[in-house]
Amino acid sequence: CSLQAGLAVLLKAERLFHSSYHSQAVHIRPVCRVSAGLSSLPEHPKRKSKADASCLAVSWELRQTLTVVFDFFSSGQGKKDWSLFKMFSRTLTDTCPLASQSKVYVDISPKNKEKELLEVSPPPTSVHEAIVQGDKKTYAVYDLLSPSLFNTSRSLNVQLKWKRPQDSSEMPIPILHAQRYVGGYGLQTGEICTLIYNTHPYRAFPVILLETVPWYLRLYVHTLTIITKGKENKPS
């Protein structure tokens, strides 16, 4: 469908390049299509990797992702309201007929355990709850394949508004978050420092760190230092 229908309609280049952050990724992995004792369902929950001896037929899974961050709280004079049109200068007009699934998820989890602070419009087709990093999250789900979603209008502009007057306080910091800065001078003392914080009282989380290195920095693997709780953790 390219940019003619579906979620790709929102991918307006000038809006993406003026966001706070954007990245693209392509993930390719082998998955087991048919294994001994299991049916040949592509979405079987017990599908195995190619290395498994019981796998009889292997397929390759291709997954493309686009991550975009808009900081409307800082650029919008402390306002937390947003909409698809404000972010992308476009709205969803139709679904891609080739898509078997097309959904929009909006995080409507209450802040500080308070209820009914957020209001999304139009009303979602369903509400989904999940546990993310030990916290209960609530999502408003818009199923673009649902016939009722585009009944009244051929344009879907998802909006989120705060019901009570907005304060100027900072947004809550996630349990797992990171900070990064560049320090030092030149090749001798120049460095990239990445600080990863886990504020959960007892739970540990697996982390995959991907660094985007500025073009003017030259890195050497032997200078890598990992410090956890004040102690150096040397890679094995």
Side-chain angles (χ1 to χ4, degrees):
C1 292
S2 186
L3 301 179
Q4 305 302 319
L7 296 175
V9 172
L10 302 176
L11 305 183
K12 191 176 181 180
E14 55 265 32
R15 298 298 296 175
L16 299 181
F17 293 146
H18 283 82
S19 61
S20 299
Y21 172 84
H22 70 277
S23 68
Q24 301 180 57
V26 176
H27 306 267
I28 302 176
R29 67 165 184 165
V31 295
C32 185
R33 187 173 70 254
V34 180
S35 60
L38 295 177
S39 61
S40 58
L41 295 177
E43 299 298 330
H44 198 283
K46 294 184 179 180
R47 61 186 180 182
K48 302 177 181 180
S49 64
K50 182 180 179 181
D52 197 301
S54 64
C55 185
L56 303 179
V58 176
S59 295
W60 289 91
E61 178 187 81
L62 170 64
R63 183 163 57 94
Q64 297 175 284
T65 62
L66 172 65
T67 302
V68 184
V69 177
F70 292 95
D71 188 1
F72 279 103
F73 183 74
S74 299
S75 60
Q77 299 178 349
K79 295 182 179 180
K80 303 175 184 178
D81 298 344
W82 59 264
S83 67
L84 291 182
F85 186 79
K86 284 184 179 180
M87 290 188 291
F88 301 101
S89 296
R90 293 181 178 180
T91 59
L92 294 172
T93 56
D94 203 354
T95 59
C96 179
L98 300 179
S100 59
Q101 187 180 76
S102 185
K103 296 181 180 180
V104 176
Y105 290 83
V106 180
D107 188 351
I108 56 174
S109 304
K111 178 183 177 182
N112 297 330
K113 308 303 181 182
E114 298 178 359
K115 296 182 179 180
E116 298 183 351
L117 286 179
L118 306 178
E119 179 181 9
V120 291
S121 61
T125 54
S126 63
V127 176
H128 175 71
E129 293 184 347
I131 303 298
V132 180
Q133 295 184 357
D135 287 345
K136 184 178 180 181
K137 295 291 185 178
T138 304
Y139 298 93
V141 183
Y142 294 87
D143 188 354
L144 302 186
L145 299 182
S146 175
S148 61
L149 195 59
F150 291 99
N151 270 351
T152 57
S153 173
R154 298 302 301 175
S155 176
L156 175 62
N157 181 29
V158 179
Q159 304 179 59
L160 185 144
K161 295 182 179 180
W162 290 73
K163 290 186 177 181
R164 63 176 56 180
Q166 302 178 18
D167 52 37
S168 58
S169 60
E170 297 183 357
M171 297 294 289
I173 299 177
I175 293 177
L176 185 65
H177 63 281
Q179 297 177 355
R180 190 181 75 155
Y181 60 89
V182 178
Y185 298 92
L187 295 178
Q188 183 177 1
T189 61
E191 62 181 7
I192 297 179
C193 294
T194 302
L195 306 178
I196 303 176
Y197 298 91
N198 177 17
T199 59
H200 198 280
Y202 58 87
R203 185 176 178 182
F205 300 99
V207 174
I208 298 178
L209 178 63
L210 174 63
E211 286 282 4
T212 303
V213 181
W215 63 269
Y216 51 83
L217 286 181
R218 184 177 300 173
L219 299 185
Y220 299 92
V221 178
H222 71 276
T223 65
L224 175 64
T225 303
I226 302 176
I227 299 176
T228 305
K229 296 181 179 180
K231 296 182 179 180
E232 184 176 353
N233 183 7
K234 295 184 178 181
S236 56

